[in-house]
Amino acid sequence: MTKTAEPARRQETSLLLEARHFRKVYYPTVAVNDITLSLHRGDILALVGANGAGKSTLIKTLSGVVGCDTGELIFDGSPVNLREYHPAAARNLGIRVVHQELSLCKNLTVYENFYVEQSQSIKNAFGWRKLAQELAQAALDRVFPGHGIDVAAGLDSLSIAQQQMVEIARATSDKKMKLMILDEPTSSLPMERTEQLQDYLCKTAGEGMTYIYISHRLKEIMTIANCVYIMQNGNEKWKGAIHETSEEHMVKLMGEGIGSGGCSAELSAFEAPEVNRSISVVCDHYTSKKLKDLSFESFGGQILGLTGLEGNGQLDLLRDIFLKAQSKRNGLKVTGKVAFVAGDRKKEGIFPLWSIADNQVITKAAGSGMFRHLSREWLEESVRYWYEKLHIKSDGTQELITCLSGGNQQKVLIARALAADADIILLDDPTRGVDQPTKNALYEVFREAAADGKLVIWRTSDDAELEFCTRLLVLSGGHIVGSFEGAGVDHETIMGLSFQNEVEARGPAEEKKRRTAPLYTFALIAMAAIYAVCAFQSPMLLSGYGLQLMVVGFAALMLCALGQTFIIGLGHIDLGIGNYCGLINVLCCTLLFSSPALGALALLVTLALYPLMGYVVYKRKVPAIIVTLGMSFLWTGAALSLQAMPGGTCPEWIRAVFYSETPLVNTLCYWLAGLMAAAILFYRSRYGTVLRGFGNNEHAMINSGWSKAKAFMAVYALAGVLALMAGVITSAINNASDSSASGTYTMLAVASVIIGGGYFSGGVVTHFGAVCGAVILTMISVLLGLWSVSTDYTALIQGLVLILILSLRLLKRRGKKA
């Protein structure tokens, strides 16, 4: 069993950190009010408080994520200039943070997530991927022996618990670290991983490492901490050595002054109500991708707990019940209206742009019928009832939900399910990141729901919560290996059952890695199919000359698509890239032809405006769609001012460089192949990996010390270079200019990226797929011409192909989840 860090160590070690009179105000809320604390080397300080007490804000000020209004910070004997304090500066000092909301990029692999956080430890330009893999593997092995995580796997393929393990291990890999701040680090970890982390913390604290440990699991705090600091409403409530307090003492201190409802340390006795058979979940030899031959019955009036080692089917069972609630196939029958409280509130729970009230009533509103009128009075009454009952701490129900602490956001999600009057309430670790007084209130709410005849099915990562369930199912390897009435079973029995089939119980972390098709699979298949049809209609397309004609047709669109891929990979969209291509075409055939020096200068000025757009998006926080739309008018206006009608002449040297015959193929083919290869290689390079990270989780990248301004400007600069090349090549091919001819490339480039497997959000794009998409859209025009179909139908057919490919992708994703 993990041993408590020695309190006496504090007096034998030197002072590491001293924060004096820290204050942070988010008008009108005083989040941190005159906080002073100190840490000695080797301390494990437990930072405790109810949701909204100011803990997360305090650690953000200590780590430079948010600025402190007033205060002084002395670290390792030297004063810190708080005016110039930011995450990168904190990292340089040796301060690292494991945030409650995971700061990982799900579009990257495990080792790439290590790299973006520890880039300073990997200097090699070549072979950096191997070094990053070794770094990730060593860190995970050191903290979580036997973890079974494939460091080359995509992060999004891991469970929440495994992602939390990656987050923690990544922070420990910093060799310069002196202080680690952990915000609810075990909120998603199963028991065995929690114990491994506790052992690691106590061992390294004995070697001089210092920790600030935030947790609502008071037993953990009593186990590993040597000192405690309790906050309430942004103020210091109590501080002292661990041996001077107890779980009951801390709960009492946290509950004082914040209302008595649901905040008592003791819960009233609970007698299981009579079974309500009109509400039920029945599995009869039910089998799915992760679940195997499940058979059980559960009815209203019960609180069914799902337990076992993490990743052995508990969450999959919850999801199947929710997604197949109306289905009676495959041995799963659900009777009653179902509501689901997701465990990953940031990704699957909250609507970040909505208020607390709107987030709370959306499920009820959605289930009330499309045309049914919902009175404002009813909505306000429902919101207010659960808002007060769950003690949601905010300045009102119309506040944005993102203004709440993580625990209060969780309360809103639970209120959403309860307000929906669901018969079956599915809870995925509902008390993760919630303080003890609020947990007690939620336990009472779940009991009340069962007493009202509802069925509550509860997956929890905190084994202590199993005592609140009236029935337990133990899952291992997707099988039910134990079923118990009441909570009388002891934890040793549960763990024994969980490990009885260790091979199957390993879960997704240790499954053999499955090969998944690339994002561009459907685009590549569609491209081959359309080209085959075109070649059947006109065999000449199989010749070298025919292939070159095809290349000429899609060259400019391909480059615009490559540029748009970088923009969409950042989560933005460029509505002016086609117009910019048209302006470059005009500049090449007018100014560059008549006055080469002036033309070259004009090209450089227009190219410099592209990264400037990225800076405006960053600095002014204006949506990219607005900035690029505005710039599209500028590009078009400038082109028309130079040349109102098609014409002009391309300089001969441009045609010689970009569009001349060689013994093998036209030089254009070499340029396109080279530019495509360069785009792909850059996106997989060290800094390209950083840019992909920004596309998925820019806050995580900022917290890792990367510059958002530089990332935005770099992406737009790359897009600008490719669009400029598209305009130059257009000039070389046509030997003239027409500003309006490239206008359609903007939306066609967007369609190419999406057809090629990209998404508008999440940093998931593929440059090769975008090229395939550009070729597909071009060949559609060719095919319609071969069939003598009017060009008026070209856009229609291109749109239908886009819809078809997206539909196939959707079916593929659903098939994976089935």
Side-chain angles (χ1 to χ4, degrees), residues 286-537:
Y286 175 69
T287 298
S288 66
K289 186 176 181 180
K290 297 287 184 67
L291 303 172
K292 303 171 185 177
D293 197 33
L294 301 190
S295 293
F296 71 90
E297 295 180 340
S298 191
F299 302 98
Q302 295 180 334
I303 301 178
L304 176 65
L306 304 179
T307 187
L309 298 179
E310 177 72 21
N312 278 269
Q314 303 95 311
L315 180 56
D316 301 283
L317 179 55
L318 282 181
R319 292 187 181 279
D320 284 4
I321 293 172
F322 178 66
L323 295 174
K324 302 180 181 181
Q326 305 303 321
S327 173
K328 298 181 181 179
R329 297 174 297 172
N330 300 325
L332 174 61
K333 181 179 179 181
V334 180
T335 305
K337 184 179 177 181
V338 181
F340 180 62
V341 178
D344 189 345
R345 58 176 170 263
K346 189 174 182 180
K347 180 180 178 182
E348 302 176 290
I350 67 170
F351 294 89
L353 299 180
W354 290 12
S355 67
I356 296 169
D358 290 340
N359 268 277
Q360 192 170 311
V361 300
I362 180 60
T363 300
K364 177 65 176 178
S368 300
M370 184 178 297
F371 300 106
R372 180 181 175 185
H373 173 70
L374 298 175
S375 70
R376 181 177 298 275
E377 293 76 15
W378 176 87
L379 291 174
E380 290 179 351
E381 181 181 351
S382 176
V383 169
R384 179 58 57 184
Y385 175 79
W386 291 109
Y387 180 85
E388 294 177 351
K389 187 173 182 64
L390 295 180
H391 300 280
I392 298 172
K393 185 178 179 181
S394 73
D395 290 326
T397 60
Q398 295 307 312
E399 255 198 308
L400 285 177
I401 193 169
T402 50
C403 295
L404 300 180
S405 65
N408 278 292
Q409 290 180 13
Q410 190 74 0
K411 294 182 192 179
V412 174
L413 297 185
I414 293 170
R416 178 195 296 172
L418 296 171
D421 296 328
D423 303 308
I424 302 169
I425 302 172
L426 308 176
L427 304 169
D428 179 17
D429 214 359
T431 63
R432 181 168 66 96
V434 175
D435 58 82
Q436 190 61 49
T438 302
K439 284 184 179 182
N440 292 343
L442 293 177
Y443 300 154
E444 290 287 8
V445 168
F446 301 155
R447 287 176 166 184
E448 289 176 10
D452 290 338
K454 301 178 185 296
L455 170 59
V456 178
I457 303 181
W458 183 355
R459 183 191 81 89
T460 175
S461 60
D462 187 350
D463 290 348
E465 294 182 334
L466 297 176
E467 64 182 88
F468 299 106
C469 301
T470 61
R471 187 183 178 197
L472 298 177
L473 295 180
V474 183
L475 280 81
S476 176
H479 295 277
I480 295 177
V481 294
S483 177
F484 304 95
E485 295 294 333
V489 62
D490 59 82
H491 295 307
E492 290 185 7
T493 301
I494 293 174
M495 292 305 295
L497 290 169
S498 300
F499 278 107
Q500 72 174 11
N501 189 353
E502 189 174 352
V503 174
E504 289 188 301
R506 292 176 185 265
E510 300 179 34
E511 289 179 354
K512 185 177 180 180
K513 185 181 178 182
R514 296 182 177 88
R515 293 186 178 272
T516 57
L519 293 171
Y520 51 78
T521 300
F522 290 119
L524 189 60
I525 293 172
M527 182 179 72
I530 296 175
Y531 183 71
V533 175
C534 288
F536 179 79
Q537 290 293 120

Side-chain angles (χ1 to χ4, degrees), residues 105-123:
C105 299
K106 294 188 177 182
N107 64 331
L108 303 182
T109 62
V110 172
Y111 76 82
E112 286 174 337
N113 271 282
F114 271 79
Y115 167 73
V116 297
E117 184 82 352
Q118 298 296 335
S119 60
Q120 73 283 353
S121 301
I122 304 173
K123 302 296 184 181

Side-chain angles (χ1 to χ4, degrees), residues 239-255:
K239 62 183 176 183
I242 192 69
H243 63 270
E244 297 173 351
T245 186
S246 64
E247 293 181 52
E248 295 76 13
H249 179 234
M250 287 188 281
V251 170
K252 181 181 178 181
L253 289 172
M254 284 189 285

Side-chain angles (χ1 to χ4, degrees), residues 158-218:
L158 306 184
S159 68
I160 293 179
Q162 293 162 345
Q163 291 177 24
Q164 186 123 31
M165 292 161 63
V166 171
E167 173 95 343
I168 295 168
R170 185 178 72 163
T172 67
S173 63
D174 189 346
K175 296 179 180 179
K176 296 181 180 179
M177 183 178 62
K178 300 175 183 178
L179 169 65
M180 179 186 287
I181 304 173
L182 301 105
D183 191 357
E184 297 289 347
T186 62
S187 58
S188 297
L189 297 183
M191 181 185 298
E192 70 275 16
R193 301 306 180 194
T194 297
E195 291 180 350
Q196 287 177 337
L197 176 61
Q198 291 174 350
D199 290 339
Y200 175 82
L201 296 182
C202 288
K203 176 185 175 182
T204 52
E207 297 169 353
M209 187 62 67
T210 308
Y211 296 97
I212 296 178
Y213 190 92
I214 301 176
S215 178
H216 292 306
R217 297 179 176 180
L218 302 184

Side-chain angles (χ1 to χ4, degrees), residues 718-729:
L718 288 166
V721 168
L722 288 165
L724 183 142
M725 292 300 298
V728 171
I729 285 175

